[in-house]
Amino acid sequence: GVEELDVRDIRAGVSVAHGVWTTIADPVVVGLAARAGFDYTCIDMQHGLATDSDLPTLLRYLRGTPTTTVVRVPAADFPAIGRALDLGADGVVVPMVENAEQAALAVAAARYPTSTPPGRRSWGPIFADLDGVTPPHVADPLVIVMIETPGAFEAVEEIASVPGVDALYVGPYDLALSSGFGQQIYRDDPEIERRIQHVVDTAIRHDLIPAVHCTDLQMVHDWRERGARMLTTGLDTTLISQAFATRYAEASGDPA
């Protein structure tokens, strides 16, 4: 899983974590994704359908599955980060991080004063009481910051230097869109490829997990070869839609 990716793994290029992104606020869908073999499962609270009231049920359903559970919170928001971790997430993905100050806020929100580095999270791990054990994510939750704007790209060295940041996660569509490339991807323009590669290389230099959000299998293979070690391989809605279309084509004899 993601939590096993340490500095030695990244430098040696041995371990790779493949994950899935879930946007459907249904515990059955999330549970099926988590049991499919992925190293991590992300619940998307920024663009997905899940609301604050859905999160306790979704995270409760994922406890006991072999996957590492992360939540993409809506923003670098102190209460949202703490709540996701209190409810049982192993880590948070923090979108639209623009600078080192916002990255430091995310770390402070995720870690207790006794953590290393120390944070400002208040004590309230709900599932520690429900399960009767102290969950492992309490001591060292994953803090994954997204690099997806020109400001973040320019400040990526400073962001990577913030103690407690575990991963730099490239949001390739937003990075391209906000940088004036429209909805092009790295295969359309070498400058987009260069920017993604720079973030991956920066993460490696700082002994962080280099992560890339991928939209197809070619992208997964390409960026694994280019050094990424945390690769989101698909979206639940896309995967379900493709499965339905494939099954219909197989059953009907229609190759389309």
Side-chain angles (χ1 to χ4, degrees), residues 179-212:
S179 301
F181 294 96
Q183 292 186 324
Q184 296 186 93
I185 63 172
Y186 72 102
R187 294 192 291 264
D188 300 321
D189 193 303
E191 178 58 21
I192 300 173
E193 181 177 9
R194 183 191 74 81
R195 294 187 182 208
I196 298 174
Q197 187 68 64
H198 179 64
V199 177
V200 169
D201 292 343
T202 300
I204 293 172
R205 284 199 308 274
H206 286 266
D207 296 332
L208 305 180
I209 300 172
V212 177

Side-chain angles (χ1 to χ4, degrees), residues 4-255:
E4 297 170 354
L5 288 182
D6 61 18
V7 171
R8 290 166 299 177
D9 293 325
I10 296 167
R11 285 176 173 165
V14 175
S15 296
V16 178
H18 298 97
V20 65
W21 216 252
T22 63
T23 62
I24 301 172
D26 188 300
V28 174
V29 174
V30 172
L32 289 172
R35 289 173 171 82
F38 292 105
D39 297 296
Y40 64 94
T41 302
C42 180
I43 299 171
D44 188 356
M45 298 289 291
Q46 182 191 21
H47 293 304
L49 300 174
T51 65
D52 284 344
S53 60
D54 295 316
L55 194 57
T57 300
L58 295 176
L59 287 174
R60 182 63 177 168
Y61 201 84
L62 289 178
R63 289 185 65 76
T65 66
T67 191
T68 294
T69 302
V70 295
V71 173
R72 177 159 74 168
V73 294
D77 177 74
F78 206 95
I81 292 170
R83 176 168 171 76
L85 296 173
D86 285 347
L87 291 173
D90 298 306
V92 289
V93 178
V94 186
M96 306 301 287
V97 171
E98 292 279 353
N99 49 50
E101 290 74 22
Q102 290 180 349
L105 182 149
V107 172
R111 297 181 185 275
Y112 295 111
T114 53
S115 301
T116 304
R120 295 189 291 116
R121 180 181 169 194
S122 61
W123 181 258
I126 296 171
F127 285 122
D129 290 332
L130 292 178
D131 295 343
V133 296
T134 300
H137 69 268
V138 165
D140 191 22
L142 286 162
V143 178
I144 302 162
V145 299
M146 296 196 72
I147 307 298
E148 50 185 348
T149 66
F153 181 77
E154 293 300 323
V156 68
E157 289 285 347
E158 292 81 5
I159 292 171
S161 299
V162 173
V165 169
D166 294 298
L168 301 182
Y169 188 106
V170 181
Y173 275 123
D174 274 321
L175 183 59
L177 185 64
S178 62
S179 301
F181 294 96
Q183 292 186 324
Q184 296 186 93
I185 63 172
Y186 72 102
R187 294 192 291 264
D188 300 321
D189 193 303
E191 178 58 21
I192 300 173
E193 181 177 9
R194 183 191 74 81
R195 294 187 182 208
I196 298 174
Q197 187 68 64
H198 179 64
V199 177
V200 169
D201 292 343
T202 300
I204 293 172
R205 284 199 308 274
H206 286 266
D207 296 332
L208 305 180
I209 300 172
V212 177
H213 193 95
C214 301
T215 54
D216 55 56
L217 286 177
Q218 181 183 343
M219 190 170 184
V220 173
H221 298 319
D222 285 348
W223 287 101
R224 187 169 57 205
E225 292 177 0
R226 288 165 168 81
R229 289 293 168 262
M230 179 179 181
L231 296 139
T232 296
T233 64
L235 188 68
D236 56 356
T237 50
T238 303
L239 295 171
I240 291 171
S241 177
Q242 289 173 344
F244 281 142
T246 298
R247 178 49 55 92
Y248 173 74
E250 292 170 346
S252 66
D254 182 353

